[in-house]
Amino acid sequence: MLDRVPGEVNLYIGGLFTLKRKEALKEANITHVLSVLTLPLDKALFEDYQHLAIDIDDDEDADIIQHFPACNAFIRDGLHGGGGVLVHW
């Protein structure tokens, strides 16, 4: 089972290894994946999904706010398109 954000939307959060749980992602109807991390990513993990990668350090001085408009639009597109969204770090 994936960690679903409370509410009516199909929005999930998880770590990098959540992407390896293909059957759980399919059951949750995940169509969009938002990655928020600086690690190099294996593109094969994202073949079946719309993907947005935000390259930012997990640091209190990082300006994550500048990425909110793009992230919000990406999440909204996924949810309004009838799919589910996984946000992972």
Side-chain angles (χ1 to χ4, degrees):
M1 177 147 211
L2 301 177
D3 291 322
R4 187 174 184 165
V5 173
E8 300 294 318
V9 296
N10 200 16
L11 181 61
Y12 298 83
I13 57 171
L16 182 60
F17 291 104
T18 304
L19 291 168
K20 296 185 183 260
R21 301 180 61 205
K22 294 291 188 183
E23 191 59 37
L25 295 170
K26 184 177 180 177
E27 288 177 17
N29 193 32
I30 300 298
T31 57
H32 290 62
V33 176
L34 172 58
S35 304
V36 184
L37 68 163
T38 56
L39 298 173
L41 299 170
D42 179 0
K43 297 203 184 296
L45 289 172
F46 306 99
E47 289 176 345
D48 299 327
Y49 313 101
Q50 295 291 317
H51 182 233
L52 175 63
I54 303 298
D55 184 10
I56 191 165
D57 288 321
D58 185 7
D59 182 281
E60 65 183 45
D61 293 327
D63 184 14
I64 195 168
I65 293 173
Q66 70 175 321
H67 300 286
F68 284 4
C71 291
N72 289 341
F74 182 78
I75 292 169
R76 186 174 41 252
D77 288 348
L79 296 175
H80 288 177
V85 180
L86 171 67
V87 179
H88 81 92
W89 59 95

